[in-house]
């Protein structure tokens, strides 16, 4: 124990993962609840307020993840194990930084989305929007599944998890296309700033970009 603590304290890669896990878990919870609300048409102001609060928790988790990464990186400078050949190839936290960056942008997009849904009209009977909300719920569930994998990332099984995320990203891309098709078929007023449809579509594309980026970062790290 003394040798372990004083001479070669274990590298705390797990601590870097924990921050990412917590952030992804908050996003997963938010996306799951959003999918439920969108599927059932429950998008009133009260529900949207709950989503905004969940988004604020996710934003705080971003800061905590960054602080955790900084602490771990600084600790490595004083860790004798960094000199061992078995560790020299792993002394990079680039994948964690890039993943946190992408998820932070996703949190921002979700915030924009929930603010827009908060402006949903109490009575919206001008357009047939239910099919689009249903496809959006399916899309949100696809993103939730990706967030779930990120929330359980493990350096020992990262290759398998990266492959799983790529498969889920493909499914999410297909779900996004259904959202776009449905909005077009229903002739929703995407250019009307007083209604949330345009923001829904724009933020769906941006969210997909950030989740795809997260998947690509982890995959590229494995393939490098």
């Amino acid at each position: 124990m003394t040798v372990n603590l004083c001479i070669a304290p274990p590298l705390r890669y797990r601590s870097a993962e924990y921050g990412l896990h917590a952030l992804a878990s908050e996003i997963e919870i938010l996306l799951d609840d959003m999918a439920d609300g969108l599927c059932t048409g429950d998008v009133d102001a009260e529900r949207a307020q709950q989503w905004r609060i969940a988004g604020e928790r996710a934003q705080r988790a971003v800061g905590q993840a960054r602080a955790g990464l900084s602490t771990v990186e600084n600790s490595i400078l004083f860790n004798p194990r960094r000199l061992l050949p078995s560790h020299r190839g792993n002394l990079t936290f680039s994948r964690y930084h890039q993943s946190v960056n992408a998820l932070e942008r996703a949190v921002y997009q979700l915030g924009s989305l929930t603010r827009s849904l908060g402006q949903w009209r109490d009575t919206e009977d001008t357009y047939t929007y239910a099919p689009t909300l249903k496809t959006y719920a399916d899309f949100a569930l696809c993103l939730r599944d990706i967030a779930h994998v990120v929330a359980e990332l493990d350096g020992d099984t990262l290759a398998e998890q990266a492959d799983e995320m790529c498969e889920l990203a493909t499914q999410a891309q297909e779900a996004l296309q259904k959202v776009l098709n449905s909005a077009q078929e229903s002739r929703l007023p995407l250019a009307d700033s007083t209604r949330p449809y345009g923001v829904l579509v724009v933020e769906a594309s941006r969210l997909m970009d950030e989740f795809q980026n997260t998947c690509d970062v982890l995959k590229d790290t494995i393939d490098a």
Side-chain angles (χ1 to χ4, degrees), residues 36-66:
D36 178 69
L38 291 167
C39 185
T40 60
D42 181 11
V43 291
D44 61 17
E46 182 178 353
R47 190 70 177 270
Q49 175 64 15
Q50 295 175 0
W51 293 337
R52 285 196 293 273
I53 293 173
E56 291 170 359
R57 288 199 302 269
Q59 187 60 59
R60 289 194 293 273
V62 171
Q64 293 166 357
R66 291 196 183 285

Side-chain angles (χ1 to χ4, degrees), residues 15-30 52-70 96-97 99-108 110 147 150-151:
S15 297
E17 291 176 354
Y18 292 154
L20 189 59
H21 290 173
L23 172 56
S25 292
E26 293 291 352
I27 294 174
E28 178 186 0
I29 292 170
L30 174 54
R52 285 196 293 273
I53 293 173
E56 291 170 359
R57 288 199 302 269
Q59 187 60 59
R60 289 194 293 273
V62 171
Q64 293 166 357
R66 291 196 183 285
L69 276 172
S70 177
Y96 297 116
H97 278 296
S99 296
V100 170
N101 288 342
L103 291 181
E104 179 181 25
R105 292 190 294 269
V107 169
Y108 176 82
L110 286 168
V150 178

Side-chain angles (χ1 to χ4, degrees), residues 53-86:
I53 293 173
E56 291 170 359
R57 288 199 302 269
Q59 187 60 59
R60 289 194 293 273
V62 171
Q64 293 166 357
R66 291 196 183 285
L69 276 172
S70 177
T71 298
V72 174
E73 286 180 310
N74 290 336
S75 72
I76 285 182
L77 297 176
F78 304 100
N79 194 324
R81 288 194 178 188
R82 76 188 189 281
L83 304 176
L84 297 177
S86 60

Side-chain angles (χ1 to χ4, degrees), residues 20 23 27 31 66 95-111 139 142-143 146-147 150 165 169 172-173 176 202-219:
L20 189 59
L23 172 56
I27 294 174
L31 285 167
R66 291 196 183 285
R95 68 181 178 219
Y96 297 116
H97 278 296
Q98 293 181 65
S99 296
V100 170
N101 288 342
L103 291 181
E104 179 181 25
R105 292 190 294 269
V107 169
Y108 176 82
Q109 309 304 343
L110 286 168
F139 171 64
C142 289
L143 297 185
I146 296 174
V150 178
M165 288 177 63
Q173 292 282 8
L176 172 60
V202 170
E203 297 303 349
S205 298
R206 290 175 176 172
L207 278 168
M208 186 67 252
D209 287 344
E210 300 309 340
F211 275 82
Q212 184 69 62
N213 187 28
T214 302
C215 296
D216 291 344
V217 164
L218 295 172
K219 182 64 175 175

Side-chain angles (χ1 to χ4, degrees), residues 174-185:
E174 294 171 353
L176 172 60
Q177 189 57 53
K178 291 180 180 179
V179 172
L180 303 179
N181 292 343
S182 180
Q184 184 176 25
E185 292 168 0

Side-chain angles (χ1 to χ4, degrees), residues 109 112-113 116-117 136 190 193 195-204:
Q109 309 304 343
S112 177
L113 178 59
S116 180
L117 289 172
Y136 211 102
L190 303 183
S193 61
R195 289 182 167 87
Y197 307 117
V199 174
L200 280 171
V201 171
V202 170
E203 297 303 349

Side-chain angles (χ1 to χ4, degrees), residues 1-2 8 16 32 57 144 216:
M1 178 65 71
T2 302
D32 188 67
R57 288 199 302 269
R144 178 207 62 185
D216 291 344

